[in-house]
Amino acid sequence: MKPSTNRMLTRIKAIYLYIKENGTVTTSELAEEFGSTPRTIQRDLNVLEYNDLISSPHRGKWTTTKKKVKITS
């Protein structure tokens, strides 16, 4: 696996865990927390949303779904 792909997957996992821990968060809050651009965060959120792990109840806000997830390190 490419190092850039590994970094992306690590970041996506961290974003998911952050949302799960903090409830509903905004895209800009995530960008600030992870030191990434809002566009990069949006791409990561799209991956999570595509896999039905998060949803957006209100524009720009994100929360986890009830889908069961097994977290491995």
Side-chain angles (χ1 to χ4, degrees):
M1 185 180 315
K2 286 183 173 180
S4 60
T5 302
N6 197 34
R7 273 196 315 273
M8 179 190 70
L9 292 174
T10 300
R11 188 178 61 243
I12 289 172
K13 178 179 172 183
I15 288 170
Y16 175 77
L17 292 173
Y18 183 85
I19 296 170
K20 190 165 183 64
E21 187 175 299
N22 291 283
T24 302
V25 298
T26 64
T27 304
S28 56
E29 181 182 339
L30 291 167
E32 188 175 313
E33 176 69 25
F34 290 94
S36 295
T37 65
R39 181 65 189 116
T40 297
I41 295 297
Q42 188 60 55
R43 280 192 294 267
D44 295 344
L45 292 169
N46 288 344
V47 171
L48 290 166
E49 185 176 38
Y50 177 81
N51 287 287
D52 196 33
L53 296 172
I54 63 170
S55 65
S56 181
H58 304 287
R59 186 175 167 94
K61 296 187 183 227
W62 298 92
T63 189
T64 55
T65 63
K66 302 233 184 281
K67 186 172 182 177
K68 297 278 186 215
V69 178
K70 183 173 143 183
I71 305 290
T72 59
S73 46

